[in-house]
Amino acid sequence: MKASLFRSAETALRRVSSPSASSHLLRRSYCVESKPERKVAVLGAAGGIGQPLALLMKLNPLVSSLSLYDIAGTPGVAADVSHINTRSQVAGYMGDDQLGQALEGADLVIIPAGVPRKPGMTRDDLFNINAGIVKSLCTAIAKYCPNALVNMISNPVNSTVPIAAEVFKKAGTYDEKKLFGVTTLDVVRAKTFYAGKAKVPVAEANVPVVGGHAGITILPLFSQATPKSNNLSDEDIVALTKRTQDGGTEVVEAKAGKGSATLSMAYAGAVFADACLKVLNGVPDVVECSFVQSTIVPDLPYFASKVKLGKNGVEEVLGLGPLSDYEKQGLESLKHELKASIEKGIKFATQS
Ligand code: NAD
Ligand code: LMR
């Protein structure tokens, strides 16, 4: 995609801003305006991820209504973003009283609400605060937009996705096809690191990343990376795997207490949201990696893998494909931690 998101946004901007646009451009502009109405809600929209994600969603011509919600600061973010001359109408909502309005009629809800890591913390250290935030936001989603696709960014994703599922089950609205843990940043990183090392064009690089979204549960499958490269040693693969698994920590340490990945995450979140909007509009053959309800690995009811997306969300959870011995080992090693994180989320949601 990816570049196409920005190309189409740029084109949209040119169309809207150029008084001398040719009739051809105007006709195409009319086509863009006639795309289906799509409301996207961002929960946590005033945060480090939320703000650049709001910007990127404002640039996406598939969005007609952009709803920005946070516990504080959203009026300013919404006013700012709303001045951008692209298709969507922007509204800012703040505080519990306005959450219903923010969600009502949403086709897609993106959740980057919650606290980020500081150096020395694991993602699981965020559980105590973020589990409650996700639970209350998902309770509202079940009430106000039960049919929306939900893109969960808040950490620990390995637990927040099961929490969301349990909240929806309790409310009687759970549809496993519509709940996604966003692991796109792992794919974005794996592509970047692989392209650099393998000396292949980064725009063409593709690397599936499976498992979960924390430390060793992040399992990039470099044996399936394309374009193929013959110049990577076993040591290179080990180093690339470790760098992908530690990518979040690399940013947390570099930011030295000022949060975790925000800009690359906003990009990754926008890529995944764009894929969701495309399939809602009937675009075929869209495949992305995501942490979803799954049966591909026994005993792990949620697992990240390649997923074929369709009009109703998950159309098919794709299998792992052939793994190298190193990847098979990685898969064995991640099972215990991933299972424990999933169970922790389920226990929190069912017992609290
Ligand atoms: P941030 O602190 O900058 O922003 C979080 C925002 O959430 C704040 O504006 C805060 O007011 C808001 N918030 C808190 N409680 C809320 C509630 N009940 N309802 C709505 N909004 C609420 O943090 P950030 O850097 O944007 O990170 C947000 C989350 O995303 C963290 O949990 C972080 O670990 C996670 N994250 C995930 C990935 C991923 O790959 N999935 C990548 C980066 C960060
Ligand atoms: C990431 O991968 O960057 C995020 O999960 C944030 C973090 O805490 O590392």
Side-chain angles (χ1 to χ4, degrees), residues 44 46-50 69-71 112-116 126 130 133 137 153-155 157 182 185 213 260-262 265:
I49 297 166
Y69 174 81
D70 205 302
I71 49 173
V115 290
L126 306 172
N130 289 354
I133 293 174
L137 292 174
I153 293 175
S154 312
N155 269 318
V157 169
V182 181
L185 182 53
H213 179 69
S260 57
T262 54
M265 182 59 236

Side-chain angles (χ1 to χ4, degrees), residues 42-52 54 67-74 77 112-113:
V42 180
L43 311 183
I49 297 166
Q51 291 200 37
S67 172
L68 304 178
Y69 174 81
D70 205 302
I71 49 173
T74 11
V77 177

